[in-house]
Amino acid sequence: DTQHGISYETGVEWNRDNMDLAFTLYRLDLNDEISFSADQFTNVNLERTRRTGATLEASLSPAAAWDLGGQYTYTDGRISAGPFDGNRIPLVARHVGRVFARGRFGGGLSGFAEAVYTGDRVLGADYANDFDPLDAYTVVNLALTYERQGWQLRARVDNLLDEEYNATSAV
């Protein structure tokens, strides 16, 4: 079945000179959420699920050539009906965060660095939450961009520190 649902969101933003702050509360209720079942090797529908949470974002420009910022999201993702009522939704991290710095060096050259954190997650198809979750991980990414006359040349290195992690896994 096609999944369908309703989303509620409210928030506030504050902007001042070189600083921006935003805080959002949200709730997403889904019926027939599509989930991959590894043991059946097919998609299945979860009766009902609910994600409630909050996001906090901040950015600061301490100097004309620099931007700093971050974002943190908390999500309580739960199955809300059926035999697994109350259990965590597989592959939904409770905690996700990101910090970044961007600099403009002149002559069309700019740089970007970020660290992205993903908290532990229940294994895919572990609707009973019986198995140890996927470990949390952090990756660091860098980018360097040269721009001239509407053209951009960009070099990017993802996972600079060669962090070993599982982006997904299932039982």
Side-chain angles (χ1 to χ4, degrees):
D1 294 334
T2 301
Q3 70 182 26
H4 58 282
I6 189 164
S7 177
Y8 306 93
E9 185 176 308
T10 187
V12 295
E13 288 188 35
W14 180 75
N15 303 298
R16 179 125 189 188
D17 299 329
N18 61 349
M19 180 183 285
D20 297 316
L21 293 172
F23 179 72
T24 305
L25 294 172
Y26 63 89
R27 179 172 132 181
L28 172 63
D29 293 322
L30 289 176
N31 295 312
D32 296 321
E33 179 173 345
I34 298 170
S35 180
F36 182 74
S37 176
D39 63 336
Q40 298 175 33
F41 206 71
T42 187
N43 288 330
V44 297
N45 289 107
L46 302 176
E47 287 183 47
R48 286 194 312 261
T49 58
R50 172 174 288 164
R51 290 163 177 81
T52 54
T55 298
L56 177 63
E57 299 176 69
S59 64
L60 171 69
S61 297
W66 287 97
D67 299 314
L68 306 172
Q71 177 182 22
Y72 169 75
T73 300
Y74 172 81
T75 302
D76 183 21
R78 300 281 175 178
I79 298 171
S80 54
F84 304 112
D85 186 12
N87 290 356
R88 287 178 62 189
I89 302 170
L91 301 176
V92 175
R94 280 189 188 138
H95 307 280
V96 176
R98 174 180 173 259
V99 293
F100 72 88
R102 182 179 307 119
R104 291 167 292 285
F105 310 119
L109 190 62
S110 63
F112 177 80
E114 69 178 350
V116 180
Y117 171 82
T118 302
D120 72 343
R121 291 156 294 137
V122 170
L123 295 175
D126 183 12
Y127 308 113
N129 297 177
D130 286 336
F131 295 88
D132 289 337
L134 288 166
D135 291 333
Y137 64 91
T138 301
V139 294
V140 174
N141 306 313
L142 293 178
L144 192 61
T145 302
Y146 176 73
E147 187 170 352
R148 183 167 174 109
Q149 297 177 348
W151 289 88
Q152 276 190 356
L153 177 63
R154 179 175 295 136
R156 183 172 171 108
V157 177
D158 287 335
N159 196 9
L160 177 71
L161 303 178
D162 199 25
E163 175 75 13
E164 291 186 18
Y165 63 93
N166 289 320
T168 189
S169 186
V171 295

PDB file of all heavy atoms in Angstrom, residues 99-133:
ATOM      1  N   VAL A  99      28.191  20.314  12.332  1.00  0.00           N
ATOM      2  CA  VAL A  99      28.823  21.618  12.506  1.00  0.00           C
ATOM      3  C   VAL A  99      29.629  21.902  11.235  1.00  0.00           C
ATOM      4  O   VAL A  99      30.126  20.985  10.587  1.00  0.00           O
ATOM      5  CB  VAL A  99      29.740  21.697  13.751  1.00  0.00           C
ATOM      6  CG1 VAL A  99      28.927  21.601  15.029  1.00  0.00           C
ATOM      7  CG2 VAL A  99      30.811  20.625  13.728  1.00  0.00           C
ATOM      8  N   PHE A 100      29.725  23.188  10.881  1.00  0.00           N
ATOM      9  CA  PHE A 100      30.436  23.517   9.653  1.00  0.00           C
ATOM     10  C   PHE A 100      31.143  24.859   9.771  1.00  0.00           C
ATOM     11  O   PHE A 100      30.796  25.692  10.608  1.00  0.00           O
ATOM     12  CB  PHE A 100      29.482  23.548   8.442  1.00  0.00           C
ATOM     13  CG  PHE A 100      28.559  24.725   8.430  1.00  0.00           C
ATOM     14  CD1 PHE A 100      28.940  25.915   7.835  1.00  0.00           C
ATOM     15  CD2 PHE A 100      27.300  24.652   9.008  1.00  0.00           C
ATOM     16  CE1 PHE A 100      28.090  27.021   7.817  1.00  0.00           C
ATOM     17  CE2 PHE A 100      26.441  25.739   9.002  1.00  0.00           C
ATOM     18  CZ  PHE A 100      26.841  26.927   8.403  1.00  0.00           C
ATOM     19  N   ALA A 101      32.116  25.033   8.894  1.00  0.00           N
ATOM     20  CA  ALA A 101      32.809  26.317   8.725  1.00  0.00           C
ATOM     21  C   ALA A 101      33.006  26.532   7.234  1.00  0.00           C
ATOM     22  O   ALA A 101      33.342  25.594   6.496  1.00  0.00           O
ATOM     23  CB  ALA A 101      34.155  26.307   9.431  1.00  0.00           C
ATOM     24  N   ARG A 102      32.770  27.767   6.796  1.00  0.00           N
ATOM     25  CA  ARG A 102      32.950  28.131   5.391  1.00  0.00           C
ATOM     26  C   ARG A 102      33.760  29.410   5.339  1.00  0.00           C
ATOM     27  O   ARG A 102      33.469  30.362   6.056  1.00  0.00           O
ATOM     28  CB  ARG A 102      31.585  28.355   4.730  1.00  0.00           C
ATOM     29  CG  ARG A 102      31.651  28.687   3.261  1.00  0.00           C
ATOM     30  CD  ARG A 102      30.263  28.888   2.640  1.00  0.00           C
ATOM     31  NE  ARG A 102      29.389  27.757   2.905  1.00  0.00           N
ATOM     32  CZ  ARG A 102      28.243  27.834   3.590  1.00  0.00           C
ATOM     33  NH1 ARG A 102      27.836  28.989   4.086  1.00  0.00           N
ATOM     34  NH2 ARG A 102      27.505  26.772   3.780  1.00  0.00           N
ATOM     35  N   GLY A 103      34.781  29.410   4.503  1.00  0.00           N
ATOM     36  CA  GLY A 103      35.612  30.593   4.366  1.00  0.00           C
ATOM     37  C   GLY A 103      35.783  30.993   2.915  1.00  0.00           C
ATOM     38  O   GLY A 103      35.862  30.145   2.034  1.00  0.00           O
ATOM     39  N   ARG A 104      35.817  32.307   2.686  1.00  0.00           N
ATOM     40  CA  ARG A 104      36.073  32.840   1.351  1.00  0.00           C
ATOM     41  C   ARG A 104      37.442  33.523   1.406  1.00  0.00           C
ATOM     42  O   ARG A 104      37.655  34.447   2.189  1.00  0.00           O
ATOM     43  CB  ARG A 104      34.957  33.817   0.962  1.00  0.00           C
ATOM     44  CG  ARG A 104      33.623  33.085   0.745  1.00  0.00           C
ATOM     45  CD  ARG A 104      32.430  33.999   0.659  1.00  0.00           C
ATOM     46  NE  ARG A 104      32.081  34.686   1.902  1.00  0.00           N
ATOM     47  CZ  ARG A 104      31.484  34.121   2.956  1.00  0.00           C
ATOM     48  NH1 ARG A 104      31.220  32.842   2.961  1.00  0.00           N
ATOM     49  NH2 ARG A 104      31.186  34.825   4.020  1.00  0.00           N
ATOM     50  N   PHE A 105      38.361  33.031   0.586  1.00  0.00           N
ATOM     51  CA  PHE A 105      39.756  33.448   0.695  1.00  0.00           C
ATOM     52  C   PHE A 105      40.167  34.510  -0.322  1.00  0.00           C
ATOM     53  O   PHE A 105      41.301  34.938  -0.333  1.00  0.00           O
ATOM     54  CB  PHE A 105      40.670  32.227   0.562  1.00  0.00           C
ATOM     55  CG  PHE A 105      40.267  31.093   1.464  1.00  0.00           C
ATOM     56  CD1 PHE A 105      39.898  29.879   0.938  1.00  0.00           C
ATOM     57  CD2 PHE A 105      40.231  31.255   2.846  1.00  0.00           C
ATOM     58  CE1 PHE A 105      39.519  28.834   1.761  1.00  0.00           C
ATOM     59  CE2 PHE A 105      39.853  30.224   3.675  1.00  0.00           C
ATOM     60  CZ  PHE A 105      39.493  28.997   3.129  1.00  0.00           C
ATOM     61  N   GLY A 106      39.258  34.909  -1.200  1.00  0.00           N
ATOM     62  CA  GLY A 106      39.584  35.900  -2.214  1.00  0.00           C
ATOM     63  C   GLY A 106      40.011  35.247  -3.512  1.00  0.00           C
ATOM     64  O   GLY A 106      40.385  34.071  -3.548  1.00  0.00           O
ATOM     65  N   GLY A 107      39.936  35.994  -4.585  1.00  0.00           N
ATOM     66  CA  GLY A 107      40.345  35.476  -5.888  1.00  0.00           C
ATOM     67  C   GLY A 107      39.465  34.340  -6.376  1.00  0.00           C
ATOM     68  O   GLY A 107      39.900  33.520  -7.181  1.00  0.00           O
ATOM     69  N   GLY A 108      38.247  34.231  -5.860  1.00  0.00           N
ATOM     70  CA  GLY A 108      37.332  33.172  -6.283  1.00  0.00           C
ATOM     71  C   GLY A 108      37.506  31.855  -5.557  1.00  0.00           C
ATOM     72  O   GLY A 108      36.848  30.871  -5.882  1.00  0.00           O
ATOM     73  N   LEU A 109      38.375  31.821  -4.549  1.00  0.00           N
ATOM     74  CA  LEU A 109      38.656  30.580  -3.820  1.00  0.00           C
ATOM     75  C   LEU A 109      37.899  30.558  -2.496  1.00  0.00           C
ATOM     76  O   LEU A 109      37.906  31.539  -1.745  1.00  0.00           O
ATOM     77  CB  LEU A 109      40.162  30.473  -3.566  1.00  0.00           C
ATOM     78  CG  LEU A 109      40.671  29.145  -3.029  1.00  0.00           C
ATOM     79  CD1 LEU A 109      40.410  28.018  -4.025  1.00  0.00           C
ATOM     80  CD2 LEU A 109      42.170  29.254  -2.738  1.00  0.00           C
ATOM     81  N   SER A 110      37.231  29.442  -2.222  1.00  0.00           N
ATOM     82  CA  SER A 110      36.540  29.270  -0.951  1.00  0.00           C
ATOM     83  C   SER A 110      36.712  27.839  -0.461  1.00  0.00           C
ATOM     84  O   SER A 110      37.009  26.931  -1.243  1.00  0.00           O
ATOM     85  CB  SER A 110      35.052  29.609  -1.084  1.00  0.00           C
ATOM     86  OG  SER A 110      34.412  28.738  -1.990  1.00  0.00           O
ATOM     87  N   GLY A 111      36.525  27.662   0.830  1.00  0.00           N
ATOM     88  CA  GLY A 111      36.661  26.344   1.433  1.00  0.00           C
ATOM     89  C   GLY A 111      35.514  26.048   2.374  1.00  0.00           C
ATOM     90  O   GLY A 111      34.837  26.957   2.880  1.00  0.00           O
ATOM     91  N   PHE A 112      35.287  24.773   2.617  1.00  0.00           N
ATOM     92  CA  PHE A 112      34.187  24.330   3.445  1.00  0.00           C
ATOM     93  C   PHE A 112      34.628  23.086   4.208  1.00  0.00           C
ATOM     94  O   PHE A 112      35.284  22.200   3.650  1.00  0.00           O
ATOM     95  CB  PHE A 112      32.987  23.990   2.547  1.00  0.00           C
ATOM     96  CG  PHE A 112      31.804  23.441   3.266  1.00  0.00           C
ATOM     97  CD1 PHE A 112      30.923  24.279   3.928  1.00  0.00           C
ATOM     98  CD2 PHE A 112      31.557  22.082   3.284  1.00  0.00           C
ATOM     99  CE1 PHE A 112      29.818  23.769   4.598  1.00  0.00           C
ATOM    100  CE2 PHE A 112      30.456  21.568   3.943  1.00  0.00           C
ATOM    101  CZ  PHE A 112      29.589  22.410   4.603  1.00  0.00           C
ATOM    102  N   ALA A 113      34.292  23.019   5.492  1.00  0.00           N
ATOM    103  CA  ALA A 113      34.569  21.837   6.313  1.00  0.00           C
ATOM    104  C   ALA A 113      33.342  21.562   7.165  1.00  0.00           C
ATOM    105  O   ALA A 113      32.679  22.487   7.641  1.00  0.00           O
ATOM    106  CB  ALA A 113      35.791  22.062   7.197  1.00  0.00           C
ATOM    107  N   GLU A 114      33.034  20.281   7.357  1.00  0.00           N
ATOM    108  CA  GLU A 114      31.911  19.920   8.209  1.00  0.00           C
ATOM    109  C   GLU A 114      32.191  18.593   8.904  1.00  0.00           C
ATOM    110  O   GLU A 114      32.948  17.761   8.401  1.00  0.00           O
ATOM    111  CB  GLU A 114      30.605  19.819   7.412  1.00  0.00           C
ATOM    112  CG  GLU A 114      30.567  18.652   6.463  1.00  0.00           C
ATOM    113  CD  GLU A 114      29.250  18.513   5.715  1.00  0.00           C
ATOM    114  OE1 GLU A 114      28.276  19.202   6.054  1.00  0.00           O
ATOM    115  OE2 GLU A 114      29.204  17.701   4.772  1.00  0.00           O
ATOM    116  N   ALA A 115      31.573  18.439  10.059  1.00  0.00           N
ATOM    117  CA  ALA A 115      31.548  17.159  10.763  1.00  0.00           C
ATOM    118  C   ALA A 115      30.080  16.804  10.928  1.00  0.00           C
ATOM    119  O   ALA A 115      29.271  17.633  11.358  1.00  0.00           O
ATOM    120  CB  ALA A 115      32.231  17.267  12.115  1.00  0.00           C
ATOM    121  N   VAL A 116      29.726  15.572  10.562  1.00  0.00           N
ATOM    122  CA  VAL A 116      28.339  15.123  10.603  1.00  0.00           C
ATOM    123  C   VAL A 116      28.255  13.898  11.508  1.00  0.00           C
ATOM    124  O   VAL A 116      28.944  12.896  11.273  1.00  0.00           O
ATOM    125  CB  VAL A 116      27.815  14.769   9.193  1.00  0.00           C
ATOM    126  CG1 VAL A 116      26.364  14.313   9.258  1.00  0.00           C
ATOM    127  CG2 VAL A 116      27.975  15.942   8.246  1.00  0.00           C
ATOM    128  N   TYR A 117      27.411  13.989  12.543  1.00  0.00           N
ATOM    129  CA  TYR A 117      27.231  12.911  13.513  1.00  0.00           C
ATOM    130  C   TYR A 117      25.871  12.253  13.276  1.00  0.00           C
ATOM    131  O   TYR A 117      24.856  12.944  13.125  1.00  0.00           O
ATOM    132  CB  TYR A 117      27.282  13.469  14.932  1.00  0.00           C
ATOM    133  CG  TYR A 117      26.878  12.458  15.988  1.00  0.00           C
ATOM    134  CD1 TYR A 117      27.806  11.523  16.449  1.00  0.00           C
ATOM    135  CD2 TYR A 117      25.590  12.431  16.495  1.00  0.00           C
ATOM    136  CE1 TYR A 117      27.444  10.588  17.405  1.00  0.00           C
ATOM    137  CE2 TYR A 117      25.222  11.498  17.459  1.00  0.00           C
ATOM    138  CZ  TYR A 117      26.144  10.586  17.904  1.00  0.00           C
ATOM    139  OH  TYR A 117      25.784   9.649  18.848  1.00  0.00           O
ATOM    140  N   THR A 118      25.858  10.924  13.248  1.00  0.00           N
ATOM    141  CA  THR A 118      24.620  10.155  13.166  1.00  0.00           C
ATOM    142  C   THR A 118      24.606   9.197  14.341  1.00  0.00           C
ATOM    143  O   THR A 118      25.526   8.390  14.498  1.00  0.00           O
ATOM    144  CB  THR A 118      24.535   9.370  11.834  1.00  0.00           C
ATOM    145  OG1 THR A 118      24.615  10.299  10.746  1.00  0.00           O
ATOM    146  CG2 THR A 118      23.243   8.586  11.745  1.00  0.00           C
ATOM    147  N   GLY A 119      23.577   9.287  15.162  1.00  0.00           N
ATOM    148  CA  GLY A 119      23.470   8.441  16.350  1.00  0.00           C
ATOM    149  C   GLY A 119      23.126   7.003  16.010  1.00  0.00           C
ATOM    150  O   GLY A 119      22.889   6.648  14.853  1.00  0.00           O
ATOM    151  N   ASP A 120      23.091   6.164  17.041  1.00  0.00           N
ATOM    152  CA  ASP A 120      22.792   4.753  16.809  1.00  0.00           C
ATOM    153  C   ASP A 120      21.390   4.583  16.241  1.00  0.00           C
ATOM    154  O   ASP A 120      20.521   5.428  16.413  1.00  0.00           O
ATOM    155  CB  ASP A 120      22.994   3.936  18.081  1.00  0.00           C
ATOM    156  CG  ASP A 120      21.928   4.188  19.139  1.00  0.00           C
ATOM    157  OD1 ASP A 120      21.218   5.191  19.064  1.00  0.00           O
ATOM    158  OD2 ASP A 120      21.815   3.354  20.050  1.00  0.00           O
ATOM    159  N   ARG A 121      21.221   3.478  15.506  1.00  0.00           N
ATOM    160  CA  ARG A 121      19.948   3.199  14.839  1.00  0.00           C
ATOM    161  C   ARG A 121      19.620   1.720  14.975  1.00  0.00           C
ATOM    162  O   ARG A 121      20.509   0.871  14.930  1.00  0.00           O
ATOM    163  CB  ARG A 121      20.033   3.554  13.338  1.00  0.00           C
ATOM    164  CG  ARG A 121      20.136   5.045  13.119  1.00  0.00           C
ATOM    165  CD  ARG A 121      20.779   5.386  11.785  1.00  0.00           C
ATOM    166  NE  ARG A 121      22.163   4.938  11.804  1.00  0.00           N
ATOM    167  CZ  ARG A 121      22.758   4.311  10.796  1.00  0.00           C
ATOM    168  NH1 ARG A 121      22.130   4.077   9.683  1.00  0.00           N
ATOM    169  NH2 ARG A 121      24.019   3.918  10.902  1.00  0.00           N
ATOM    170  N   VAL A 122      18.340   1.421  15.126  1.00  0.00           N
ATOM    171  CA  VAL A 122      17.876   0.036  15.135  1.00  0.00           C
ATOM    172  C   VAL A 122      18.123  -0.546  13.747  1.00  0.00           C
ATOM    173  O   VAL A 122      17.943   0.134  12.732  1.00  0.00           O
ATOM    174  CB  VAL A 122      16.367  -0.017  15.495  1.00  0.00           C
ATOM    175  CG1 VAL A 122      15.801  -1.407  15.280  1.00  0.00           C
ATOM    176  CG2 VAL A 122      16.155   0.444  16.926  1.00  0.00           C
ATOM    177  N   LEU A 123      18.547  -1.797  13.698  1.00  0.00           N
ATOM    178  CA  LEU A 123      18.793  -2.454  12.415  1.00  0.00           C
ATOM    179  C   LEU A 123      17.527  -2.494  11.567  1.00  0.00           C
ATOM    180  O   LEU A 123      16.410  -2.593  12.089  1.00  0.00           O
ATOM    181  CB  LEU A 123      19.257  -3.894  12.641  1.00  0.00           C
ATOM    182  CG  LEU A 123      20.596  -4.090  13.342  1.00  0.00           C
ATOM    183  CD1 LEU A 123      20.839  -5.568  13.595  1.00  0.00           C
ATOM    184  CD2 LEU A 123      21.728  -3.504  12.522  1.00  0.00           C
ATOM    185  N   GLY A 124      17.711  -2.442  10.264  1.00  0.00           N
ATOM    186  CA  GLY A 124      16.584  -2.575   9.348  1.00  0.00           C
ATOM    187  C   GLY A 124      15.860  -3.892   9.587  1.00  0.00           C
ATOM    188  O   GLY A 124      16.497  -4.927   9.821  1.00  0.00           O
ATOM    189  N   ALA A 125      14.556  -3.852   9.561  1.00  0.00           N
ATOM    190  CA  ALA A 125      13.666  -5.011   9.745  1.00  0.00           C
ATOM    191  C   ALA A 125      13.668  -5.569  11.175  1.00  0.00           C
ATOM    192  O   ALA A 125      13.026  -6.566  11.435  1.00  0.00           O
ATOM    193  CB  ALA A 125      13.970  -6.125   8.742  1.00  0.00           C
ATOM    194  N   ASP A 126      14.363  -4.919  12.110  1.00  0.00           N
ATOM    195  CA  ASP A 126      14.330  -5.356  13.516  1.00  0.00           C
ATOM    196  C   ASP A 126      13.175  -4.643  14.224  1.00  0.00           C
ATOM    197  O   ASP A 126      13.365  -3.825  15.111  1.00  0.00           O
ATOM    198  CB  ASP A 126      15.664  -5.058  14.212  1.00  0.00           C
ATOM    199  CG  ASP A 126      15.693  -5.564  15.648  1.00  0.00           C
ATOM    200  OD1 ASP A 126      14.787  -6.338  16.037  1.00  0.00           O
ATOM    201  OD2 ASP A 126      16.608  -5.162  16.399  1.00  0.00           O
ATOM    202  N   TYR A 127      11.973  -4.972  13.826  1.00  0.00           N
ATOM    203  CA  TYR A 127      10.791  -4.310  14.366  1.00  0.00           C
ATOM    204  C   TYR A 127      10.608  -4.590  15.854  1.00  0.00           C
ATOM    205  O   TYR A 127      10.044  -3.775  16.575  1.00  0.00           O
ATOM    206  CB  TYR A 127       9.546  -4.725  13.575  1.00  0.00           C
ATOM    207  CG  TYR A 127       9.727  -4.528  12.095  1.00  0.00           C
ATOM    208  CD1 TYR A 127       9.775  -5.610  11.223  1.00  0.00           C
ATOM    209  CD2 TYR A 127       9.895  -3.250  11.567  1.00  0.00           C
ATOM    210  CE1 TYR A 127       9.973  -5.424   9.869  1.00  0.00           C
ATOM    211  CE2 TYR A 127      10.098  -3.055  10.213  1.00  0.00           C
ATOM    212  CZ  TYR A 127      10.137  -4.151   9.366  1.00  0.00           C
ATOM    213  OH  TYR A 127      10.346  -3.965   8.030  1.00  0.00           O
ATOM    214  N   ALA A 128      11.107  -5.734  16.326  1.00  0.00           N
ATOM    215  CA  ALA A 128      11.010  -6.081  17.749  1.00  0.00           C
ATOM    216  C   ALA A 128      12.122  -5.427  18.569  1.00  0.00           C
ATOM    217  O   ALA A 128      12.110  -5.518  19.793  1.00  0.00           O
ATOM    218  CB  ALA A 128      11.052  -7.597  17.918  1.00  0.00           C
ATOM    219  N   ASN A 129      13.083  -4.793  17.907  1.00  0.00           N
ATOM    220  CA  ASN A 129      14.225  -4.152  18.581  1.00  0.00           C
ATOM    221  C   ASN A 129      15.006  -5.158  19.413  1.00  0.00           C
ATOM    222  O   ASN A 129      15.465  -4.867  20.516  1.00  0.00           O
ATOM    223  CB  ASN A 129      13.781  -2.974  19.448  1.00  0.00           C
ATOM    224  CG  ASN A 129      13.149  -1.835  18.673  1.00  0.00           C
ATOM    225  OD1 ASN A 129      12.705  -0.873  19.261  1.00  0.00           O
ATOM    226  ND2 ASN A 129      13.095  -1.912  17.356  1.00  0.00           N
ATOM    227  N   ASP A 130      15.207  -6.356  18.884  1.00  0.00           N
ATOM    228  CA  ASP A 130      15.877  -7.441  19.605  1.00  0.00           C
ATOM    229  C   ASP A 130      17.397  -7.417  19.485  1.00  0.00           C
ATOM    230  O   ASP A 130      18.085  -7.985  20.315  1.00  0.00           O
ATOM    231  CB  ASP A 130      15.383  -8.795  19.093  1.00  0.00           C
ATOM    232  CG  ASP A 130      13.988  -9.139  19.566  1.00  0.00           C
ATOM    233  OD1 ASP A 130      13.567  -8.600  20.612  1.00  0.00           O
ATOM    234  OD2 ASP A 130      13.323  -9.947  18.881  1.00  0.00           O
ATOM    235  N   PHE A 131      17.937  -6.800  18.456  1.00  0.00           N
ATOM    236  CA  PHE A 131      19.365  -6.866  18.174  1.00  0.00           C
ATOM    237  C   PHE A 131      20.064  -5.583  18.597  1.00  0.00           C
ATOM    238  O   PHE A 131      19.438  -4.528  18.750  1.00  0.00           O
ATOM    239  CB  PHE A 131      19.600  -7.133  16.682  1.00  0.00           C
ATOM    240  CG  PHE A 131      19.101  -8.478  16.236  1.00  0.00           C
ATOM    241  CD1 PHE A 131      17.790  -8.639  15.818  1.00  0.00           C
ATOM    242  CD2 PHE A 131      19.939  -9.575  16.250  1.00  0.00           C
ATOM    243  CE1 PHE A 131      17.309  -9.873  15.411  1.00  0.00           C
ATOM    244  CE2 PHE A 131      19.481 -10.819  15.847  1.00  0.00           C
ATOM    245  CZ  PHE A 131      18.161 -10.972  15.429  1.00  0.00           C
ATOM    246  N   ASP A 132      21.383  -5.676  18.778  1.00  0.00           N
ATOM    247  CA  ASP A 132      22.170  -4.479  19.078  1.00  0.00           C
ATOM    248  C   ASP A 132      22.052  -3.505  17.905  1.00  0.00           C
ATOM    249  O   ASP A 132      22.094  -3.924  16.744  1.00  0.00           O
ATOM    250  CB  ASP A 132      23.643  -4.835  19.289  1.00  0.00           C
ATOM    251  CG  ASP A 132      23.889  -5.582  20.587  1.00  0.00           C
ATOM    252  OD1 ASP A 132      23.061  -5.451  21.509  1.00  0.00           O
ATOM    253  OD2 ASP A 132      24.907  -6.296  20.669  1.00  0.00           O
ATOM    254  N   PRO A 133      21.910  -2.214  18.201  1.00  0.00           N
ATOM    255  CA  PRO A 133      21.745  -1.230  17.114  1.00  0.00           C
ATOM    256  C   PRO A 133      23.047  -0.987  16.359  1.00  0.00           C
ATOM    257  O   PRO A 133      24.138  -1.352  16.815  1.00  0.00           O
ATOM    258  CB  PRO A 133      21.303   0.030  17.856  1.00  0.00           C
ATOM    259  CG  PRO A 133      21.864  -0.126  19.218  1.00  0.00           C
ATOM    260  CD  PRO A 133      21.862  -1.598  19.523  1.00  0.00           C
TER     261      PRO A 133
END
